[in-house]
Amino acid sequence: MVAFFTEVDGRYQASAFAVARWSARQIGGHAVCGLLARELEKYCPDPEFVPARLTVDLFTPVIAEPLTVVGEVVRRGNRIVVADARIEQEGKVRTRATAVFLRTGDTPPGEIWSSPQTLPDPPDPTDRNMRLWVQTGADDWTMDFGACQNAERKTIWQHQPPLVEGEQTSPFQRAAIVGDTTNMVCNWGSRGVGYINSDMTLTLSRLPVGPELGLQAQDHLAHDGISVGTATLYDRLGRVGTCVVTAVSNSRRQLDFAQLTAEHVTARP
């Protein structure tokens, strides 16, 4: 199975699977977010802590060349730990991230309102060939992206490939990889995806279970070429957290998925 990155002497080389669909010279945000989560996870104190929030600022494209990831603890306390990480290339910081780790504990007494939500059952049997399943509205799951080129709500489901060759991808890393896909889930309309996200914020109430994850669009707001997309992250046990991206118009390089096969969209050599 192809991994997103290969590690050599402390540096990371992206595989073709990690390359962005916007440009063959750039690494996709999903792979970038996963790699930053991998670095930040090193600073989680112990299993009693959960990575409750990850925020990634994607302010400069990460090119498909060897890169370095650097991290540090910003604050370490009894109930909260904050860590920062950054990706460096050619002597420049390309993107940065912050993770907040919170200590788990007893749930406070009482009842609290939460929004009622029905998530689509994942496709079965489990698909392990790295293909991306898509559901629009109440339609059946499909890998035919042309059939999904509409203005209906999008939900995706995927079995993630390894992040780094020779390593098992952690639940936090998988969540970060899928989190960046919020841009596609929330900004995919009848003419494709015309926005590119400048950031991604992932919030988790617990770590996901299993190698698969789903993401369902919950809201989309747009004005003057700026959009905000919110999605729900879930596994086979239920809701895990939320993902939010802010994005800027990229209409000159609009991704028209109707012109691509599912293999071209979801698979890499």
Side-chain angles (χ1 to χ4, degrees):
M1 183 177 287
V2 178
F4 287 107
F5 295 97
T6 300
E7 183 180 6
V8 180
D9 297 329
R11 304 180 75 193
Y12 301 88
Q13 177 64 57
S15 71
F17 194 83
V19 172
R21 302 186 187 102
W22 303 103
S23 170
R25 279 185 43 80
Q26 297 178 15
I27 299 175
H30 58 305
V32 169
C33 290
L35 197 60
L36 287 165
R38 176 180 177 272
E39 175 65 25
L40 290 165
E41 198 169 39
K42 298 176 183 177
Y43 306 104
C44 185
D46 56 60
E48 293 184 356
F49 281 77
V50 169
R53 177 175 63 83
L54 169 68
T55 298
V56 180
D57 294 317
L58 302 160
F59 47 78
T60 303
V62 180
I63 59 177
E65 299 290 343
L67 60 89
T68 303
V69 187
V70 180
E72 62 181 349
V73 173
V74 176
R75 198 263 184 184
R76 186 183 299 275
N78 292 327
R79 295 194 298 174
I80 181 171
V81 173
V82 180
D84 286 351
R86 61 187 183 274
I87 288 179
E88 298 179 351
Q89 275 183 325
E90 300 177 342
K92 299 179 181 179
V93 176
R94 297 280 178 168
T95 185
R96 65 185 182 189
T98 297
V100 176
F101 301 92
L102 300 178
R103 183 183 293 275
T104 58
D106 296 333
T107 300
E111 298 180 357
I112 302 175
W113 176 90
S114 63
S115 61
Q117 186 174 352
T118 301
L119 295 165
D121 292 331
D124 198 356
T126 299
D127 184 86
R128 297 181 180 274
N129 62 1
M130 297 182 286
R131 296 294 194 265
L132 187 69
W133 291 89
V134 183
Q135 183 185 76
T136 61
D139 294 342
D140 292 334
W141 291 101
T142 181
M143 288 186 286
D144 181 357
F145 279 66
C148 302
Q149 194 91 317
N150 53 49
E152 297 294 322
R153 169 189 278 188
K154 304 294 191 299
T155 306
I156 66 166
W157 186 265
Q158 188 175 25
H159 184 288
Q160 287 292 330
L163 177 65
V164 176
E165 185 178 13
E167 292 184 7
Q168 184 174 355
T169 306
S170 74
F172 182 42
Q173 294 167 22
R174 285 196 297 272
I177 294 169
V178 174
D180 184 76
T181 315
T182 301
N183 184 56
M184 183 182 80
V185 171
C186 292
N187 290 314
W188 187 2
S190 60
R191 299 284 296 275
V193 179
Y195 290 92
I196 186 167
N197 55 308
S198 63
D199 61 23
M200 186 279 289
T201 295
L202 165 71
T203 63
L204 296 173
S205 62
R206 64 173 174 86
L207 288 172
V209 176
E212 307 160 287
L213 279 174
L215 193 65
Q216 183 181 63
Q218 292 304 316
D219 199 9
H220 173 264
L221 303 172
H223 187 74
D224 290 342
I226 305 296
S227 78
V228 178
T230 305
T232 296
L233 185 72
Y234 71 108
D235 57 18
R236 289 190 178 271
L237 300 181
R239 289 189 286 180
V240 175
T242 62
C243 304
V244 179
V245 298
T246 54
V248 62
S249 174
N250 199 35
S251 57
R252 292 184 179 181
R253 300 168 71 184
Q254 183 119 348
L255 289 179
D256 185 357
F257 287 133
Q259 303 299 317
L260 300 174
T261 65
E263 180 178 359
H264 288 138
V265 172
T266 61
R268 294 290 186 272

